[in-house]
Amino acid sequence: MDGNVEDFTETARSKQAQNMPEMTKVECRNIDVFYGEKQAIFDISLDIPDRAVTAFIGPSGCGKSTFLRCINRMNDTIESARVTGQIFMDGADINDHSIDPVLLRSRVGMVFQKPNPFPKSIYDNIAYGPRIHGLASGKQELDEVVESALRKAGLWEEVKDRLLAPGTGLSGGQQQRLCIARAIAVSPEVILMDEPCSALDPIATARIEELIDELRERYCIVIVTHSMQQAARVSQKTAFFHLGKLVEYGDTERIFTNPEDSRTQDYITGRFG
Amino acid sequence: MNSPAPNPSEKGTFVTEAALKRLKKRHAAEMRFKLYGQVAIGIAVVALITLLVSIFGQASSAFSRNVLTFDTTLDAAQVDPTGARDPDEISRNVSGFNLLLQDNLADQFLPGVEDRARLRELYGLFTRLAVLPIARKTAERPDTIGSQQRFSVALADDIDLFLKGGVTERTSIKLGTVARISGSIETGVQMAFSSPDASDDITKAETRFQEASAADSAPTTLVSAGDTWFRLDTLADGSASLTFIAGEQALPAAGAQASALVLAQAQENRTVSDRQIAWTMLLKEEGRIKSTFNTSLFTHSDSTYPELAGAAAAIVGSLLTMLVTAMLAIPVGIFAAVYLEEFATKNRMTDLIEVNINNLAAVPSIVFGLLGAAVFINFLGMPRSVPLVGGLVLGLLVLPTVIIASRAALKSVPPSIRTAALGVGASPTQAVFHHVLPLAAPGILTGSIIGMARALGETAPLLLIGMVAFVAEVPSGPTDESTVLPVLIYKWSTGAERAWEPQTAAAIIVLLVFLVLMNLIAIILRRRFERRW
Ligand SMILES: Nc1ncnc2c1ncn2[C@@H]1O[C@H](COP(=O)(O)OP(=O)(O)OP(=O)(O)O)[C@@H](O)[C@H]1O
Ligand SMILES: [Mg+2]
């Protein structure tokens, strides 16, 4: 057990070395989420830094996905869900009536737990977002957007010869990278990833982690994960959730080496969860 | 090495006696269930095959039609007595064209005969209106008047039926050649045949028919020798005494080919007389009666004569009605389903709507007919018997089916597709129209086409809005009076003449072909739109 924590610390420290000056991208203030009568999130306030990876960890059912969905207002699409509190992105309230969730979602991309490419060609999967947002004028420009998104997602070399093949025909790991490329293609500022590697094998996971590490330089990334190792490897900040409450939030290094709360300690050492 | 060999009867702990027994029971249950399934499928297949065989068997005769060819000069005095060359007048001059045909037949078979009854018997080979197509053709090309032309006309339905083996049972017997002949055409002929079994064969056939049928229907035998036909009066000592009925009015030469046609019934008991049979056989021998594909089924509209009746008007009427139905039911149904499934918030109101739609799908179709008659015809003042109203009524009828099928199709699209689309910033409408609807399209199309197929076969609601009217003209638009295939089938099936029977079966086949075509389209479209996941 202890050895494990030691390992995390190692990785976390090496990450800490490249840390950049912190700048808050998303501010969450007093968020409560209700599913019907049932409250799933209790008064969570949290600042998410730009150009860094923030990891949400916590036992199953503690509300990580629910909280993540608040950031791009995907909870709006769930009929029973009701969100209170305020979320500011670059200082603007995203729940304001003047902000269209559709526009918000083009700035806050999302990658889901299960790869969910459209049953269309690889090209169309990527090109769909830029098309509906009018990000590319003309075929040439669109081609460039598609290529650069696929390159950033590290998929270009594998699929460049079969861009017109169906996206659903790719392997699970490739599909997930395709979904990341799809999210990147609309040039978002924030990328939300809900357990992006849970359906993948270790090699594919490693590729995605590498990718996340590269993307960190340009985007604000929030990742939900069940793997302590992953959180330690890729994130600079970690938030620990428990029963709908934010128990502890801070630098990944500190959370893994010196957690303040005993519940965090128990969770990261695998005593419950 | 030295451990005792396992005792084969002592198996693992879970292979106990009781477990084996249970397993056996389970296998038996499985086999039984499989058997039930096979029996059920067997029953369904047998029912289907019986249906198809009986319909096709009945209809086969309706798809061919015996026509009589005749050469005639289109005499201007008869065809166009006014000399105006007015197409309308020419096409309406049925009696003029009829005379041409009657004269042609009379010249051949009854030259100089004045006996009106006899002549009527001859003219009974075809119906008065059989010449209508000829009149129309001539009206289109008035320049042919005065010239020699060859036409074919449909034979009367009874004659046609006789040629197809109906009207009465019969057998024909070869009698060899005429061995001896005496007497005269006017007073009666005595004839003997070269075949030694001739009289035996005839007697045998007659007794067979006698025994098979009711006592009062005496079998009749007709004898043909050369080009002359006789009725057999008595048969004694190999010598037949015969009465002339039709054909060459001269004694056939000795050595001419002779044959007998034994009919199960006397002419009083059948719709075709002895003479008509003789004339028909003579014309057939001459090659003037031919069996052709019955195009009138597709080119003619309804008629009171089965041999002239066609389904053209009903086919066009059905197509027009379907067009209106599709234009109402498919877009409205799809939009209603999309709204209910994708946009409407789930509350009491939508629950109520859902329950009502499901109930509406089960409402008997005749109720929709009453509704259509009350709303469209009485209240909105639309005309009766038109495809527009029929299509609207059927559209309302299939609307619930389309909505239910479309909703099921939309439900089957995985929610991950919607979240994916929303996740890249598509609006809910874009998510539905770009992703969900295309994926649901195969199911929606199948449901719609099944609904349309149901509408195509509906009769009851259309009877109520007057689409049962006799329609002699092919409708040219959705506001013209018209009828539809199932109503036509219903009407034809109530016809008194025997000839309506194959005609009805043929119309059923036309309807079935339409249904099969629609299903085929559904399958092709489904294949087209189907996507792999
Ligand atoms: N659509 C929903 N309707 C009602 N309740 C929901 C819904 N989604 C989530 N919940 C409830 O909200 C709570 C938090 O769920 P959430 O999915 O956010 O957990 P999570 O931390 O992401 O869990 P996991 O790690 O298993 O994904 C759970 O108790 C769950 O049952
Ligand atoms: Mg989750």
Side-chain angles (χ1 to χ4, degrees):
Chain A
M1 284 293 148
D2 276 351
N4 254 345
V5 175
E6 207 62 42
D7 273 357
F8 300 162
T9 324
E10 208 66 54
T11 353
R13 194 172 295 134
S14 68
K15 288 273 130 64
Q16 197 62 32
Q18 335 158 348
N19 231 5
M20 301 188 182
E22 240 177 62
M23 231 186 78
T24 302
K25 181 77 183 172
V26 181
E27 285 172 63
C28 308
R29 292 286 168 268
N30 311 102
I31 303 295
D32 290 309
V33 181
F34 302 85
Y35 288 115
E37 291 298 296
K38 191 172 146 277
Q39 189 163 5
I41 296 287
F42 297 86
D43 191 32
I44 290 183
S45 298
L46 184 81
D47 286 352
I48 298 169
D50 200 6
R51 290 171 207 277
V53 179
T54 305
F56 289 178
I57 59 171
S60 187
C62 66
K64 306 179 295 289
S65 302
T66 304
F67 187 70
L68 194 71
R69 281 200 298 266
C70 294
I71 301 173
N72 68 346
R73 287 180 63 179
M74 276 303 256
N75 281 329
D76 292 11
T77 65
I78 299 172
E79 226 169 271
S80 63
R82 188 162 56 83
V83 182
T84 63
Q86 287 174 304
I87 296 180
F88 300 95
M89 195 169 128
D90 294 331
D93 186 351
I94 65 161
N95 285 314
D96 196 273
H97 285 300
S98 63
I99 304 245
D100 192 280
V102 170
L103 275 180
L104 174 72
R105 284 181 208 134
S106 72
R107 291 175 61 192
V108 184
M110 188 157 191
V111 177
F112 299 86
Q113 179 168 356
K114 226 178 108 220
N116 57 353
F118 300 128
K120 297 185 175 195
S121 71
I122 293 171
Y123 183 94
D124 285 336
N125 260 283
I126 311 290
Y128 179 68
R131 260 191 207 132
I132 58 172
H133 295 300
L135 295 184
S137 55
K139 171 101 176 89
Q140 180 119 25
E141 218 172 302
L142 198 59
D143 287 351
E144 280 163 21
V145 171
V146 170
E147 180 174 342
S148 94
L150 282 170
R151 274 190 197 285
K152 282 183 206 155
L155 194 61
W156 176 251
E157 289 304 321
E158 288 158 69
V159 300
K160 65 179 178 201
D161 300 325
R162 46 171 177 152
L163 287 176
L164 296 181
T168 40
L170 295 172
S171 78
Q174 289 173 327
Q175 285 189 20
Q176 194 61 301
R177 275 181 282 150
L178 181 67
C179 293
I180 294 175
R182 184 174 66 188
I184 294 171
V186 293
S187 358
E189 295 152 39
V190 181
I191 302 177
L192 310 175
M193 299 187 178
D194 194 349
E195 301 180 43
C197 304
S198 64
L200 306 182
D201 72 290
I203 294 171
T205 303
R207 294 222 46 176
I208 304 250
E209 284 179 9
E210 249 170 66
L211 173 61
I212 292 171
D213 209 41
E214 283 164 30
L215 296 175
R216 176 166 65 89
E217 285 160 27
R218 259 165 293 176
Y219 306 98
C220 160
I221 296 176
V222 184
I223 178 171
V224 172
T225 177
H226 275 158
S227 154
M228 295 313 112
Q229 288 93 332
Q230 187 169 60
R233 278 195 300 263
V234 301
S235 72
Q236 284 74 51
K237 290 267 194 183
T238 298
F240 174 62
F241 290 73
H242 185 50
L243 297 176
K245 297 193 178 85
L246 179 64
V247 174
E248 197 166 350
Y249 178 51
D251 287 343
T252 302
E253 187 195 359
R254 190 189 57 69
I255 297 275
F256 279 98
T257 51
N258 188 18
E260 286 165 6
D261 199 290
S262 62
R263 286 171 293 180
T264 319
Q265 171 82 31
D266 289 348
Y267 183 70
I268 59 177
T269 53
R271 238 163 270 161
F272 76 94
Chain B
M1 272 292 137
N2 49 11
S3 64
N7 183 351
S9 68
E10 242 174 54
K11 295 196 185 134
T13 45
F14 59 100
V15 194
T16 60
E17 197 74 356
L20 276 176
K21 228 169 154 182
R22 269 204 305 277
L23 197 66
K24 221 168 159 187
K25 232 170 150 179
R26 252 173 26 210
H27 282 316
E30 226 152 280
M31 290 297 292
R32 246 192 341 265
F33 183 75
K34 227 163 119 186
L35 195 72
Y36 295 156
Q38 281 163 351
V39 168
I41 288 180
I43 291 173
V45 167
V46 167
L48 186 69
I49 289 176
T50 317
L51 179 82
L52 288 181
V53 165
S54 84
I55 289 179
F56 274 89
Q58 277 190 16
S60 60
S61 69
F63 280 105
S64 67
R65 157 83 59 230
N66 286 295
V67 294
L68 169 72
T69 2
F70 74 105
D71 292 305
T72 186
T73 310
L74 284 175
D75 184 4
Q78 247 173 35
V79 172
D80 187 20
T82 59
R85 295 289 187 272
D86 174 21
D88 271 0
E89 213 154 282
I90 295 173
S91 67
R92 260 187 275 117
N93 182 18
V94 171
S95 48
F97 283 91
N98 212 28
L99 274 177
L100 285 180
L101 178 55
Q102 289 178 348
D103 289 350
N104 178 282
L105 287 177
D107 283 350
Q108 178 169 2
F109 292 116
L110 301 172
V113 173
E114 293 288 331
D115 181 358
R116 310 225 8 131
R118 185 61 44 84
L119 283 168
R120 255 207 309 281
E121 197 177 347
L122 178 63
Y123 301 158
L125 290 185
F126 53 89
T127 42
R128 216 177 93 83
L129 284 176
V131 294
L132 200 59
I134 301 175
R136 292 206 176 126
K137 210 193 273 175
T138 310
E140 269 168 35
R141 297 191 48 212
D143 55 302
T144 55
I145 293 176
S147 67
Q148 181 85 12
Q149 293 289 326
R150 168 165 293 183
F151 294 116
S152 16
V153 289
L155 285 166
D157 57 341
D158 290 326
I159 307 292
D160 184 56
L161 211 58
F162 175 81
L163 283 167
K164 286 167 179 167
V167 177
T168 172
E169 267 192 89
R170 75 199 79 150
T171 111
S172 50
I173 298 163
K174 288 246 175 310
L175 302 174
T177 55
V178 176
R180 258 181 302 109
I181 185 159
S182 61
S184 78
I185 290 289
E186 286 77 24
T187 56
V189 178
Q190 302 292 316
M191 207 186 279
F193 309 103
S194 70
S195 165
D197 305 327
S199 39
D200 262 7
D201 286 347
I202 293 175
T203 324
K204 246 187 253 164
E206 282 189 349
T207 25
R208 188 160 56 79
F209 284 135
Q210 185 89 60
E211 279 163 8
S213 68
D216 59 335
S217 61
T220 308
T221 303
L222 305 183
V223 174
S224 72
D227 287 335
T228 314
W229 281 71
F230 304 92
R231 189 185 302 119
L232 180 73
D233 296 326
T234 53
L235 188 63
D237 307 329
S239 172
S241 61
L242 307 167
T243 313
F244 169 83
I245 51 170
E248 193 82 29
Q249 296 214 6
L251 285 185
Q257 290 290 331
S259 58
L261 186 64
V262 186
L263 304 159
Q265 289 162 326
Q267 62 178 343
E268 294 76 39
N269 294 328
R270 46 182 145 84
T271 46
V272 184
S273 71
D274 288 345
R275 273 199 190 79
Q276 285 177 330
I277 290 174
W279 286 320
T280 307
M281 298 313 277
L282 282 165
L283 285 168
K284 197 171 164 70
E285 212 144 279
E286 227 181 301
R288 285 178 61 189
I289 288 179
K290 274 201 224 73
S291 176
T292 58
F293 182 70
N294 182 11
T295 50
S296 68
L297 192 62
F298 303 100
T299 55
H300 289 191
S301 49
D302 203 2
S303 163
T304 42
Y305 300 99
E307 72 270 27
L308 297 176
I315 291 173
V316 175
S318 268
L319 289 178
L320 287 169
T321 308
M322 284 302 103
L323 200 71
V324 176
T325 306
M327 284 193 333
L328 172 69
I330 293 179
V332 174
I334 291 177
F335 277 104
V338 166
Y339 179 75
L340 284 174
E341 199 54 43
E342 304 286 334
F343 297 106
T345 45
K346 307 275 173 290
N347 55 25
R348 281 201 157 182
M349 194 62 201
T350 42
D351 281 352
L352 197 73
I353 290 174
E354 178 160 5
V355 168
N356 276 311
I357 288 173
N358 290 343
N359 283 337
L360 221 52
V363 169
S365 56
I366 196 147
V367 177
F368 282 92
L370 285 170
L371 173 103
V375 175
F376 295 121
I377 295 175
N378 291 345
F379 185 67
L380 294 178
M382 290 183 181
R384 290 173 63 81
S385 318
V386 299
L388 177 66
V389 176
L392 289 175
V393 169
L394 293 181
L396 292 179
L397 176 70
V398 299
L399 194 56
T401 318
V402 175
I403 294 177
I404 291 170
S406 303
R407 288 189 69 178
L410 289 168
K411 261 202 190 96
S412 72
V413 175
S416 67
I417 297 298
R418 293 180 188 89
T419 48
L422 295 176
V424 294
S427 68
T429 316
Q430 283 174 326
V432 167
F433 282 91
H434 295 165
H435 298 286
V436 179
L437 213 48
L439 290 173
I444 292 177
L445 279 172
T446 314
S448 304
I449 291 177
I450 287 172
M452 296 297 293
R454 182 182 166 200
L456 182 63
E458 271 307 335
T459 323
L462 299 180
L463 295 179
L464 287 180
I465 57 155
M467 288 191 88
V468 70
F470 181 86
V471 178
E473 293 286 324
V474 175
S476 56
T479 49
D480 282 2
E481 276 212 339
S482 100
T483 185
V484 292
L485 275 171
V487 173
L488 187 78
I489 290 168
Y490 164 73
K491 252 169 39 185
W492 282 3
S493 70
T494 53
E497 285 99 331
R498 280 289 305 280
W500 285 116
E501 218 170 83
Q503 202 76 4
T504 308
I508 290 173
I509 287 177
V510 172
L511 183 63
L512 286 181
V513 166
F514 268 89
L515 290 173
V516 168
L517 273 181
M518 284 174 85
N519 280 323
L520 219 63
I521 292 171
I523 290 170
I524 290 169
L525 287 176
R526 200 159 53 203
R527 284 267 165 82
R528 259 255 166 109
F529 281 99
E530 203 137 65
R531 271 171 231 252
R532 287 187 310 116
W533 294 100

